[in-house]
Amino acid sequence: MKHINIQKYSHLKSAVATYSIDENAVFGQFIFVANGAKGHLNVRQSEGHVVGRLHENFPPLLARVRKMLCGVRGVLRARRVAGVLCRTAASEVGQPLTADTVLADKYEKKRTQAKPFAKELFLGRVDYDLFAYPEVLDPERLQTLNEMVAPIEKFFNERLDSRAIDREAKIPPEVLNALKEMGLFGQQIPEEFGGLGLNATEFARIAEVTALDGSVAVTLAAHQSIGLKGLLICGTEEQKRKYLPRLATGEWVAAFCLTEPSSGSDAASIQTRATLDKDGKTWRLNGGKIWISNGGIADFFTVFAKTEQFDEIGQKEDKVTAFVVERGFGGITSGKPEDKLGIRGSNTTEVHFDNTPIPMENVLGEVGGGFKVAMNILNSGRFSMGSSSAGVLKKLIKLVTTHATERKQFGKQLKEFGLIKEKVAKLSVDVYAMESMAYMTAGILDLYDNPDCAMEAAMVKVYSSEAAWTGVSECLQILGGLGYMKDYPYERYLRDSRIMMIFEGTNEIMRIFISLLGLQHAGAELSETVRKARNPLLYPGYTYRLLRMNFRHTMDAPKMNLRLKGYTHPSLEAATNNVEYCVLRLQYATMIVLQRYGKGVIDAQLELRRVADIAINVYAAFASVSRASRSYCIGLHNAEYELVLAQTVALKTLALVKQYVGELEVGPLNGLDQAHMDIGKKLHQSEVILDYAFSIKTESISDTQDCVSILVTALQDLQNGINDIIVQSQRPAINWCKEEIISPLNEVPLDDPFHDAENFVSDETQQLDAAGLLVHWDDKQEATEDPVIVIKNIDKDAASLEVLNSVFDAVSEKSWTESEPQEPLDEVQQFECLNCNETFSDAGELEAHRAKNHTLPTACDLCGKVSG
Amino acid sequence: MARVLVGVKRVIDYAVKIRVKPDKSGVVTEGVKHSMNPFDEIAVEEAVRMKEKKLATEVIAVSCGPTQAQETLRTALAMGVDKAIHVEVTGKDLDTLQPIHVSKILAKLAQDEKADLVIVGKQAIDDDCNQTAQMTAALLDWPQGTFASKIEKGDGILTIVREIDGGLETVKVKTPAVLSADLRLNEPRYATLPNIMKAKKKPLKKLTPKDLGVEIKAHQEVVSVEDPPVRQAGSIVPDVDTLAAKLKEGGFA
């Protein structure tokens, strides 16, 4: 028997471990006590590897007591201890430790989620259980999963011509059929309905491979991530039995119909309507949906429509209801496939419903409960985007690293250049964060019964879609010009990945969703705090503590009271501390925003974005550090590398959190935000178009008088020694200037440089330059844009100034009197006498004229009156 | 109706860039993706097709190798093989394992399992030995049809089209026989996910060479394994005469 020295692991001080060792094999039993939790770990040698199995020594009856005594932390600590012990034992005998050595005993049953994980982060709380990184698959399932991935990968590499799919904008039918045969259309459908019954983790892993072709990935996702998801989430037993078997084999393809021309992000505003027939048994569906993925090939639609409902007080109101619609119901037409930037092979069409009859039993969920159904479907569909993006990026990283090794410039391989190294490193770090988040989210979905996971999924979506876009773009950049060519896959992946920031909820909406959800969660709990904070005299003790906490926060030194570092491997101590700091700062950011805006926060979108970005990155760091710690403790291949990646994710998050919290502290006084709002507002009023070129002085003018006054001021400036003047205005004012100022200028006998004001831009520039006077009339812009007058490089030659001066004086004097806007002639109503073609300005005069000159009764063409 | 025995080998995946170990004792296999030898995949496909055409009653896959060879067998099961036999060879034995040993194992199993047909790939892509089918036939004293690009089964007779240098050769053999599959025999299918799930329930028998009375004895020693020479850079010659002279110099003309 031998004691292991574990004192070097600071968090294991309370662990006691003994193990025996013989010559060739290590085996033994570790008994340990860690933070109140007891357990034992059996370690043995098997096929050249050390394998450990952890048993938590808690009789079920005592489970409650144990929980009360030491909480989940004890159990987790025990698990960590086991990991470290296994590792130590392995290193003692110099044997590698295989993956999946430390196993918690229970995989089977789903637990109830105590608290939503991401929402709690806004309150500065972490889920210690999750910090051990969820382990969902037992070795056998993992083995099967790997077996499944292999043929799919092979198929995608060998049989899929992604370039042709992109070019032809169609997935060939034989490819679709092969995908169906492989079982890819029924991944998450339970086995009893003919599907594969994969859990979220397995689904996400397979998505890594199917994402290698964007069009195929979107076709599959539209089918099962959203198209038939409603049926899985809230379908009745009959509905499931009727439809799922056909959907699982891909005999029927599903589509999700929500978006309409007038209703994009605002899903509640749809116009499609379902009305109940007089017989009360059939719904009639009418309306049009756009951008429906699989719209042209689907036989099964999940459709959302407005239905008329009576609310509690008996008033009519419109509510959204979800329906399950077969193409065979009739009255369904699909438009032609849309011509898109990317994912060109996926079938996206309009779908129209014309009096489509839907039987009563095809309502999905409750009548009037459709909005919730839609949100549930979308929320649960997003998580796999993380692993898909990671799959694509991993493939591209492989390609670019090969390129960077083979390509030489300046006598060096590309990979030796710092800027290339940085790019590849950033990519790898992003991929690690993406994967960690995606699989942690999938883990939450798999571990808990009906978990609250919408926020995590949204975070994965935002982070991974943006990291994918920049990542693919950087890969293309490493290839340089080659990457821009269609012979290489980069530009296709770039186009394909663009959609991820748009569909299934734009990233803007997602960010608002994340922060509002978090603030709402925090606000509910903080209302008490806020009440106390607002009455400091009634709660002096509390106020003192709050002030102290706030003070520490304002000094950027929050009290590190989460004690996270006891839960990861000691080599990740710094990174863990960073995560803890960031979680606490998220809480602080939440406090700042809630205190500053209260309920008005909903309109402070710029602040909401910062809060969301902090939260998203905190999640990324949390997931990465926890995953790396797990990998290292159980001794995964490349675990050391994972440590570095996770540390980098944590550092990146730290920098971002520091920046954003700083900006939030300054708040709306932050000059940049204000400027952005002002500029945005001005642009949308379309009064000004800013031309930054050469301008020393820029003025906006909106009518002719302003125009003249500006020109006059400009002239004064000219005299004061300012050389360049740019005057901009909208077209009517400029037209006026052109007629009234530029043309008269042309008549000035000054070596006649302006002989043709219309065309001098290109032809006369040199002459003008020679004369030391350059007047630029930029009329070549599009009619929608505002033309610009540029008076440039006017020489302070007294003669020319005088000439200009006099002209401007004359013109401005004239303009003050004549510049009243005149209505264009062709719009003035005229009354013309049909007999003599004389015109009059009003009908009375015409009549008088006709009565006087043309006494014969003649019908007036304009008014039809017979006069005379 | 026949019982078919198929030999499958776990090799380094064809897409992997092979690296030689620094001590030149072999190639790096750790952490490298492995898969079924492509020619064996064709053999499995042929056997499964025979079964689907009701020309065979049962298809049995055999693999000799380390524990991970079971993954390869699972792939075969997922492709439609009925049962699998894993002959576990580990440690030192694995390094000395040669086609002769595999042939002995296959021959013994063919008799034990009362097989009428043994199909293997014409060669493995790792060692390129191209010996197993021939030696198995010899050990069993059965007729052989190697490099088959087409197999037709009659009553007790197989018509085999073989790819030989410069053309095709058609031979007829009586069953039982040993066949080896060439590249153009068929296009193997991709294992489907539902079949992979089903394959988990199919039987996989584990044996050792000792159980079959085969001794893994070294007949040869690997002296060194080296990377192929790096291709020399080309050069541009001014005219045809120089080219001809250079070719002569190099002994090409």
Side-chain angles (χ1 to χ4, degrees), chain A residues 47 140-141 143-144 147-155 158-159 181-184 187 191 196-198 206 406 637, chain B residues 13-14 17 30-31 33 36 41 67 70-71 74-75 88 187-197 199-201:
Chain A
E47 289 150 12
E140 197 189 324
R141 273 195 99 143
Q143 166 74 22
T144 314
E147 281 170 24
M148 285 180 172
V149 168
I152 306 172
E153 209 161 27
K154 204 167 160 209
F155 179 84
E158 290 173 1
R159 293 292 166 89
E181 268 170 33
M182 292 193 92
L184 288 174
Q187 294 177 40
E191 283 177 81
L196 297 171
L198 301 185
I206 288 182
E406 286 165 1
H637 192 61
Chain B
D13 191 84
Y14 71 92
K17 213 175 162 195
E30 257 168 54
K33 191 184 167 198
M36 193 193 291
E41 247 182 324
T67 322
Q70 288 180 18
E71 288 166 24
R74 291 266 170 228
T75 312
E88 188 162 4
E187 257 187 59
R189 69 193 64 190
Y190 296 89
T192 70
L193 306 193
N195 284 342
I196 291 171
M197 306 271 271
K200 281 196 291 184
K201 294 183 189 106

Side-chain angles (χ1 to χ4, degrees), chain A residues 815-831:
Chain A
S815 70
W816 291 122
T817 52
E818 289 184 4
S819 62
E820 285 295 309
Q822 285 186 351
E823 285 190 1
L825 274 177
D826 54 356
E827 281 178 26
V828 177
Q829 203 182 4
Q830 290 187 13
F831 298 90

Side-chain angles (χ1 to χ4, degrees), chain A residues 33-166:
Chain A
V33 186
N35 200 30
K38 275 186 188 173
H40 70 270
L41 170 79
N42 284 325
V43 176
R44 65 193 163 81
Q45 195 193 35
S46 160
E47 289 150 12
H49 295 289
V50 176
V51 178
R53 193 168 185 91
L54 173 68
H55 302 274
E56 285 153 18
N57 264 3
F58 300 113
L61 275 174
L62 288 176
R64 272 176 76 97
V65 184
R66 174 203 60 162
K67 208 166 182 184
M68 278 163 63
L69 284 176
C70 59
V72 280
R73 262 166 71 180
V75 180
L76 277 157
R77 187 158 283 197
R79 217 174 278 174
R80 287 269 166 258
V81 172
V84 176
L85 292 183
C86 250
R87 216 183 151 75
T88 319
S91 64
E92 288 274 338
V93 290
Q95 294 277 10
L97 195 68
T98 43
D100 306 298
T101 43
V102 181
L103 307 170
D105 270 341
K106 53 236 163 186
Y107 284 103
E108 322 79 41
K109 246 173 101 189
K110 284 198 173 185
R111 284 171 272 166
T112 4
Q113 195 182 20
K115 287 266 171 81
F117 159 68
K119 284 181 181 173
E120 286 281 296
L121 287 178
F122 283 78
L123 284 162
R125 294 181 199 144
V126 291
D127 186 334
Y128 295 96
D129 200 359
L130 216 53
F131 204 42
Y133 208 77
E135 233 176 70
V136 177
L137 302 174
D138 57 40
E140 197 189 324
R141 273 195 99 143
L142 190 69
Q143 166 74 22
T144 314
L145 179 62
N146 285 335
E147 281 170 24
M148 285 180 172
V149 168
I152 306 172
E153 209 161 27
K154 204 167 160 209
F155 179 84
F156 272 72
N157 287 331
E158 290 173 1
R159 293 292 166 89
L160 221 59
D161 185 351
S162 293
R163 204 178 152 197
I165 291 177
D166 182 61

Side-chain angles (χ1 to χ4, degrees), chain A residues 160-169 213 486-488 491-492:
Chain A
L160 221 59
D161 185 351
S162 293
R163 204 178 152 197
I165 291 177
D166 182 61
R167 192 179 51 232
E168 311 291 335
D213 184 285
K486 288 216 168 191
D487 283 340
Y488 288 80
E491 60 87 33
R492 189 184 71 243

Side-chain angles (χ1 to χ4, degrees), chain B residues 33-238:
Chain B
K33 191 184 167 198
H34 283 69
S35 51
M36 193 193 291
N37 176 31
F39 291 110
D40 295 347
E41 247 182 324
I42 297 172
V44 171
E45 175 69 27
E46 194 62 22
V48 171
R49 285 188 192 181
M50 280 183 182
K51 198 191 161 208
E52 283 166 351
K53 286 186 209 144
K54 309 264 186 240
L55 296 172
T57 47
E58 193 175 32
V59 182
I60 307 152
V62 184
S63 184
C64 310
T67 322
Q68 293 94 319
Q70 288 180 18
E71 288 166 24
T72 311
L73 286 171
R74 291 266 170 228
T75 312
L77 289 171
M79 286 173 78
V81 168
D82 299 297
K83 68 175 195 181
I85 300 171
H86 175 217
V87 182
E88 188 162 4
V89 183
T90 50
K92 247 181 217 153
D93 283 352
L94 193 59
D95 295 332
T96 39
L97 191 71
Q98 284 290 318
I100 180 66
H101 308 122
V102 178
S103 303
K104 281 180 185 167
I105 291 169
L106 283 180
K108 182 74 172 57
L109 280 172
Q111 284 164 339
D112 289 357
E113 296 289 331
K114 300 188 178 57
D116 307 289
L117 207 55
V118 176
I119 312 181
V120 293
K122 72 165 180 181
Q123 69 192 61
I125 60 167
D126 52 358
D127 55 18
D128 285 339
C129 280
N130 185 355
Q131 297 167 6
T132 308
Q134 295 85 333
M135 288 198 279
T136 310
L139 288 167
L140 285 165
D141 199 14
W142 286 2
Q144 56 177 302
T146 49
F147 316 135
S149 65
K150 198 176 167 193
I151 299 171
E152 269 171 32
K153 195 164 181 295
D155 196 18
I157 280 180
L158 290 168
T159 311
I160 296 149
V161 180
R162 307 178 64 229
E163 292 195 358
I164 54 168
D165 284 347
L168 297 173
E169 182 188 50
T170 309
V171 295
K172 277 189 180 177
V173 295
K174 276 190 191 149
T175 52
V178 179
L179 309 179
S180 78
D182 208 337
L183 185 67
R184 279 163 285 272
L185 180 58
N186 58 47
E187 257 187 59
R189 69 193 64 190
Y190 296 89
T192 70
L193 306 193
N195 284 342
I196 291 171
M197 306 271 271
K198 280 178 209 153
K200 281 196 291 184
K201 294 183 189 106
K202 290 183 180 173
L204 194 154
K205 196 159 79 176
K206 284 173 214 169
L207 295 172
T208 59
K210 215 185 260 173
D211 296 339
L212 299 164
V214 178
E215 195 194 346
I216 312 279
K217 202 170 68 186
H219 296 285
Q220 63 184 46
E221 187 194 346
V222 175
V223 182
S224 96
V225 176
E226 273 168 54
D227 273 315
V230 181
R231 189 175 168 272
Q232 297 295 312
S235 62
I236 294 172
V237 289

Side-chain angles (χ1 to χ4, degrees), chain A residues 537-604:
Chain A
L537 293 178
L538 291 176
Y539 305 95
Y542 179 82
T543 310
Y544 172 69
R545 283 200 302 279
L546 191 70
L547 280 176
R548 213 176 67 166
M549 190 186 102
N550 276 352
F551 178 71
R552 291 194 70 135
H553 263 300
T554 46
M555 299 306 286
D556 195 12
K559 194 171 179 195
M560 305 282 270
N561 53 7
L562 298 176
R563 297 197 184 84
L564 265 186
K565 70 176 177 186
Y567 293 85
T568 51
H569 193 272
S571 43
L572 278 166
E573 190 174 330
T576 312
N577 282 340
N578 285 345
V579 172
E580 181 164 347
Y581 167 86
C582 293
V583 172
L584 293 167
R585 294 301 265 180
L586 172 61
Q587 178 200 15
Y588 176 55
T590 309
M591 293 276 284
I592 295 178
V593 174
L594 280 178
Q595 277 173 5
R596 187 175 297 147
Y597 297 96
K599 280 188 176 147
V601 73
I602 199 158
D603 292 318

